[in-house]
Amino acid sequence: MKKGCFIKLIVVLTILTAAVLYFVQNYFDRLILLPGKKILKSTLIENWDTNLKHVYDTPEKDSLKVLVNNFLMQIDLTDSLDETMIENFAVEFSRAIKDSLITNKEYNKLKNIITVEEDERSKKN
């Protein structure tokens, strides 16, 4: 490869790398996070009944659906969720649906996990 071609290649790659980094740093939220969160929210909400059809229809199941739906709708782009909260919620949720019945006690545990997270986020703002 000639020296001139190599130098042109390095210059072009440097410019492309800088352009990609610029877009990632400045437009990542709008280009990737916002559509991703919208897809996640819609998928969870639409597939709720399909994925939890083995769980008996109780007022707690309906209340949990509303609670999760409201929580997902309140999440903004700038919100960063605590990983331990997500893990705790997932563990308690799987325990709650394991026996095909969501009791009032299980619902209150799940509600407390989410409300504690909302309280912490409001204190940060």
Side-chain angles (χ1 to χ4, degrees):
M1 181 181 279
K2 294 182 182 181
K3 290 181 185 178
C5 291
F6 181 72
I7 291 174
K8 288 178 187 176
L9 179 68
I10 295 296
V11 169
V12 169
L13 287 177
T14 302
I15 292 171
L16 286 175
T17 304
V20 168
L21 288 175
Y22 173 79
F23 280 111
V24 167
Q25 288 177 346
N26 295 317
Y27 300 106
F28 182 75
D29 290 344
R30 280 186 261 159
L31 295 176
I32 296 174
L33 281 182
L34 182 60
K37 284 188 178 185
K38 285 182 180 179
I39 291 170
L40 179 65
K41 289 177 189 178
S42 65
T43 302
L44 285 174
I45 293 168
E46 289 173 1
N47 295 333
W48 180 270
D49 292 328
T50 306
N51 293 335
L52 296 178
K53 65 182 174 185
H54 70 282
V55 177
Y56 295 115
D57 289 332
T58 60
E60 287 82 9
K61 179 181 176 184
D62 295 335
S63 298
L64 184 61
K65 180 179 181 180
V66 170
L67 180 71
V68 171
N69 188 13
N70 290 339
F71 180 69
L72 289 174
M73 292 303 161
Q74 291 174 358
I75 296 174
D76 294 331
L77 281 176
T78 57
D79 289 342
S80 60
L81 297 175
D82 185 21
E83 289 181 23
T84 57
M85 188 279 291
I86 295 172
E87 290 174 14
N88 290 342
F89 186 80
V91 167
E92 289 299 324
F93 187 77
S94 64
R95 285 183 191 160
I97 64 170
K98 184 182 271 187
D99 63 351
S100 300
L101 181 67
I102 298 175
T103 63
N104 194 21
K105 183 179 177 182
E106 293 168 335
Y107 169 74
N108 287 331
K109 270 187 181 179
L110 293 167
K111 182 178 176 183
N112 287 338
I113 292 171
I114 288 180
T115 53
V116 166
E117 174 64 22
E118 288 175 350
D119 291 342
E120 288 177 5
R121 284 190 297 134
S122 65
K123 286 179 185 178
K124 288 180 182 178
N125 295 333

